[in-house]
């Protein structure tokens, strides 16, 4: 029987590529999104993958949304915590709301989704959770104390939860993308982006599909011995 997968933020950008990659490997995919109904509808029309709207930063909404997916597609075997936002600014100019919203969605979303699905995965003896971190969570980034902290937190969350799932066939891993050509990066001023690309050894931005391939591997049966790890896909920008 095909596995059931939820991809948060799965209707555009990196998440869209992940939804399609998991569908292509035979999964029944539910693509979650926050509010861009037009893009979600266009995504469903183009791919046939159903979209489900809820805010991953809202604990009860995650419990309800995951229950709705399970009713529609079956018990959830795979969760890809991909939804994320930026609210950049240097500390002196960053409001508490900017801090809190990034923590609530980027890091809190991982907790909320795990609470909704991890227990069932353990009971059934198989599961995959892949959390999308960031090179900026590994290395830090000027003007991103909120985002870097949330993404760095994702890497710690991954290693801790991996230890809770290991004996029950549930793996928990992270991917740390470098700069990928999505709407999120399109928001970076061109002059800043040129300087960033100049520091990427392969000399270009990454493509969403290059992240999706890593996710598909980590979600496969063949990756059952990989847990608690972070796969960096960043064109050589940060090596450690
Ligand atoms: P985009 O901004 O292109 O897409 C973000 C997606 O997340 C959208 O589908 C959006 O939904 C969804 N989303 C945002 N907030 C919420 C929420 N509260 N609840 C549910 N869904 C939400 O992002 P990218 O594709 O660029 O990034 C995807 C992930 O990869 C993020 O976690 C990001 O931090 C990470 N990343 C990206 C990098 C890059 O260079 N692009 C580099 C490193 C990490 P909607 O369409 O409704 O707004």
């Amino acid at each position: 029987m095909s596995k059931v997968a939820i991809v948060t933020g799965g209707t555009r950008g990196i998440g869209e590529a992940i939804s399609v990659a998991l569908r292509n490997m035979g999964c029944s995919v539910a693509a979650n999104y926050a509010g861009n109904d037009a893009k979600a509808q266009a995504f469903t029309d183009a791919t046939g993958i159903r979209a489900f709207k809820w805010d991953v930063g809202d604990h009860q909404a995650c419990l309800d949304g995951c229950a709705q997916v399970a009713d529609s597609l079956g018990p959830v075997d795979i969760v890809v915590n991909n939804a994320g936002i930026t609210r950049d600014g240097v500390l002196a100019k960053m409001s508490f709301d900017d801090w809190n919203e990034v923590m609530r969605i980027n890091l809190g979303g991982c907790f909320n989704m795990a609470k909704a699905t991890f227990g069932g995965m353990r009971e059934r003896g198989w599961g995959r959770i892949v959390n999308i971190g960031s090179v900026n969570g590994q290395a830090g980034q000027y003007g991103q104390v909120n985002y870097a902290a949330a993404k760095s937190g994702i890497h710690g969350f991954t290693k801790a939860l991996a230890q809770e799932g290991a004996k029950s066939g549930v793996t928990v891993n992270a991917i740390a993308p470098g700069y990928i050509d999505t709407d999120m990066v399109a928001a970076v001023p061109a002059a800043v982006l040129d300087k960033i690309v100049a520091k990427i050894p392969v000399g270009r931005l990454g493509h969403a599909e290059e992240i999706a391939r890593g996710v598909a591997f980590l979600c496969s049966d063949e990756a059952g011995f990989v847990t608690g790890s972070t796969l960096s896909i960043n064109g050589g920008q940060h090596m450690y």
Side-chain angles (χ1 to χ4, degrees):
M1 214 165 72
S2 78
K3 303 277 197 258
V4 173
I6 299 178
V7 182
T8 69
T11 56
R12 63 187 171 92
I14 293 171
E16 176 174 9
I18 294 169
S19 295
V20 170
L22 293 182
R23 193 274 311 276
N24 289 349
M25 67 185 251
C27 296
S28 299
V29 177
N32 152 268
Y33 71 105
N36 190 335
D37 296 320
K39 176 58 197 171
Q41 187 60 54
F43 162 83
T44 297
D45 291 346
T47 63
I49 297 170
R50 282 183 61 184
F52 293 80
K53 180 174 167 177
W54 74 82
D55 173 6
V56 296
D58 180 329
H59 188 72
Q60 189 60 47
C62 285
L63 300 180
D64 295 344
C66 290
Q68 193 194 348
V69 170
D71 282 348
S72 306
L73 303 178
V76 178
D77 304 298
I78 296 170
V79 169
V80 182
N81 285 310
N82 164 79
I85 62 164
T86 52
R87 295 282 185 275
D88 295 352
V90 293
L91 182 71
K93 292 187 178 166
M94 186 176 288
S95 67
F96 178 71
D97 280 353
D98 290 339
W99 165 265
N100 207 35
E101 196 62 354
V102 167
M103 297 302 283
R104 188 183 74 83
I105 292 172
N106 295 15
L107 185 55
C110 295
F111 174 81
N112 295 335
M113 289 298 294
K115 284 292 280 185
T117 57
F118 187 68
M121 292 178 190
R122 288 184 66 190
E123 278 167 27
R124 292 187 299 279
W126 196 96
R128 297 284 183 264
I129 295 181
V130 179
N131 302 312
I132 304 300
S134 170
V135 65
N136 292 349
Q138 297 171 309
Q141 176 63 279
Y142 184 90
Q144 283 197 326
V145 293
N146 51 1
Y147 185 84
K151 291 301 191 180
S152 189
I154 283 177
H155 297 307
F157 175 87
T158 298
K159 291 178 209 173
L161 192 61
Q163 295 178 33
E164 296 186 27
K167 285 213 162 34
S168 312
V170 182
T171 69
V172 186
N173 291 289
I175 289 189
Y179 283 79
I180 310 299
D181 59 353
T182 67
D183 294 344
M184 184 179 275
V185 161
V188 177
V192 176
L193 201 53
D194 286 348
K195 285 185 188 154
I196 290 170
V197 172
K199 289 186 183 155
I200 300 174
V202 303
R204 63 169 174 83
L205 297 175
H207 305 305
E209 292 72 19
E210 292 173 308
I211 305 303
R213 270 181 220 116
V215 174
F217 167 67
L218 292 171
C219 292
S220 67
D221 277 322
E222 289 77 8
F225 201 57
V226 184
T227 196
S229 79
T230 297
L231 174 59
S232 296
I233 306 180
N234 62 26
Q237 185 187 349
H238 180 67
M239 304 178 188
Y240 82 114

